Amino acid sequence: MTVADPIPAFSRFIAIDWSGAAGKRYAGVAIGVCGADGPPRIVAPTHRLWSRSAVFDWLVDSLEQEPALVGIDCAFSLPFDVAQRYFPNPDAATVFDLWDRVEAVAGAEPDFAGGGFAAHPDYGADFWRAGTQPDWYRDPHRLTERVCRADGYGSPQSPYKLIGAKQVGKGGLAGMRMLRALKQAVPDRVAVWPFDPPRPGRTVFCEIYPRLFLIRAGFGLRKIRDGAAVDTALAALGAPPTGLSGAVTDHDADALVSAAGLRWLAGREEVWTPPTMDARARRQEGWIFGVGDRNTGLPAPGA
C-alpha cells in the first residue's frame, strides 16, 4: 500500500491470540471478533480448545463473508539480517520465498507446526533453542520490533529466541505456514499486509502485538484477567463494554481488546503507511499494525 492508495474499509475486525506450542489443541489460542460498532465477542471453538487447523478452517469459512481486517499475534517473517543467508540472491528474496522455505522443511508436521525449521541443520544454528544464551547469539530483531520498543509499546521478542515464556519463534513459523496455506486456498480473497496491496474484496491479514493495544488503553505491562478490566480497556479504545464479569483468561482478554484496537486504528492513514516502514519491511520482514504512527496525534502510551 502506498500513500496514494485509499484506506481500506472493513465491517469486521478479527483478532487471534496465537500459539506455536506442540500438541493438538491449545489453551493459548483465542479469537475475538467485532463489527463496525458494538462490543467484541469471543468465538467459541467447536471443541473445548482451538487447534491451529481449526482456526484455519474457521478463517476459510469466514472469507465467504464481507472482507475483514484480521490481526494475528505472531511474527509474519524473520529478521532478514539473518534470514537473507537462506537465499542465493538475498536482495530478490521476498517473505513468500521464506514461507516456501519453511513449508519445504516443516510441511510434514501436523497442525501447521513449524518447529522442524528451527531444528533443521541448515537453519537451526541461527536459533537459540536451549540453555543459557550462546556466545554467538546476537538477538536479531526486525525493524518493526525495534520501532515498537522505541515507541514505548513493549519489547517484542526476537523470532530467533526459542527460550522462555515469551518466546515467539515457533508461533511465527506456524503462522507463516497457515498464512501461506490461506493464500493458496483462497488467493483472490486474501491479502497479507504489508506484502500485498489490500485490494477491494479481500480480507486483509496483519501482524498484531496485543501489548500495544493494552498500553494504549492505559494498562502498561499488566495482564487483564477479569471482565471489568476488559471493559475498562475497551472504553479507552472507543468500544462498548462486553458486560463480562468474573475471571477472563488473558488470551481471551488479548483477543477482545485487540479486535477493538484494530477497529480503533484501521481508519487512520498513518497506521497503513508508517513513515518508519522501509522497503525491506514491505517485501521481506513485515510490520506490526499500529507501530511507527506516533506522528498521527494518537494517544501516547499510557495517555
Side-chain angles (χ1 to χ4, degrees), residues 30-244:
I31 301 177
V33 177
C34 61
D37 50 31
R41 62 178 179 84
I42 288 295
V43 178
T46 304
H47 296 85
R48 187 175 64 88
L49 298 172
W50 285 103
S51 67
R52 289 184 290 264
S53 297
V55 173
F56 171 84
D57 292 339
W58 183 86
L59 286 169
V60 170
D61 289 343
S62 77
L63 291 170
E64 299 300 321
Q65 303 175 41
E66 289 296 313
L69 178 61
V70 181
I72 306 178
D73 178 21
C74 71
F76 284 8
S77 186
L78 297 172
F80 257 70
D81 284 345
V82 177
Q84 64 182 345
R85 77 168 186 84
Y86 307 153
F87 307 101
N89 187 352
D91 291 338
T94 70
V95 70
F96 304 126
D97 296 317
L98 175 62
W99 293 1
D100 288 345
R101 188 66 56 93
V102 171
E103 186 66 24
V105 172
E109 295 186 59
D111 204 36
F112 296 112
F117 184 84
H120 191 277
D122 289 345
Y123 312 105
D126 296 324
F127 291 84
W128 173 13
R129 293 185 290 152
T132 58
Q133 181 170 325
D135 292 340
W136 54 263
Y137 182 75
R138 297 294 178 264
D139 204 34
H141 283 79
R142 299 173 297 155
L143 175 61
T144 189
E145 292 153 358
R146 298 196 298 271
V147 174
C148 183
R149 181 174 297 186
D151 279 356
Y153 294 143
S155 301
Q157 298 289 305
S158 168
Y160 279 108
K161 180 183 176 183
L162 303 184
I163 293 291
K166 295 182 179 180
Q167 62 176 286
V168 299
K170 290 182 180 178
L173 294 168
M176 294 175 213
R177 288 193 61 202
M178 187 184 73
L179 287 166
R180 180 183 182 276
L182 282 168
K183 282 179 66 68
Q184 289 196 334
V186 200
D188 296 333
R189 303 280 293 181
V190 170
V192 181
W193 181 85
F195 314 116
D196 296 320
R199 297 189 180 96
R202 293 191 177 193
T203 286
V204 177
F205 289 79
C206 65
E207 179 179 339
I208 58 172
Y209 182 50
R211 179 55 51 189
L212 178 151
F213 299 115
L214 294 176
I215 288 175
R216 283 188 157 174
F219 278 80
L221 299 180
R222 290 178 290 157
K223 289 185 178 292
I224 293 179
R225 293 194 172 97
D226 68 82
V230 168
D231 285 349
T232 298
L234 294 180
L237 299 174
T242 62
L244 294 172

Side-chain angles (χ1 to χ4, degrees), residues 215-292:
I215 288 175
R216 283 188 157 174
F219 278 80
L221 299 180
R222 290 178 290 157
K223 289 185 178 292
I224 293 179
R225 293 194 172 97
D226 68 82
V230 168
D231 285 349
T232 298
L234 294 180
L237 299 174
T242 62
L244 294 172
S245 61
V248 175
T249 71
D250 56 309
H251 305 293
D252 282 359
D254 283 354
L256 289 166
V257 173
S258 296
L262 284 170
R263 182 174 65 190
W264 186 67
L265 288 177
R268 309 174 194 236
E269 181 177 313
E270 287 292 318
V271 173
W272 294 94
T273 56
T276 45
M277 185 195 295
D278 64 6
R280 170 179 273 188
R282 294 186 187 95
R283 295 183 64 252
Q284 297 177 326
E285 289 194 338
W287 202 258
I288 298 168
F289 197 74
V291 164

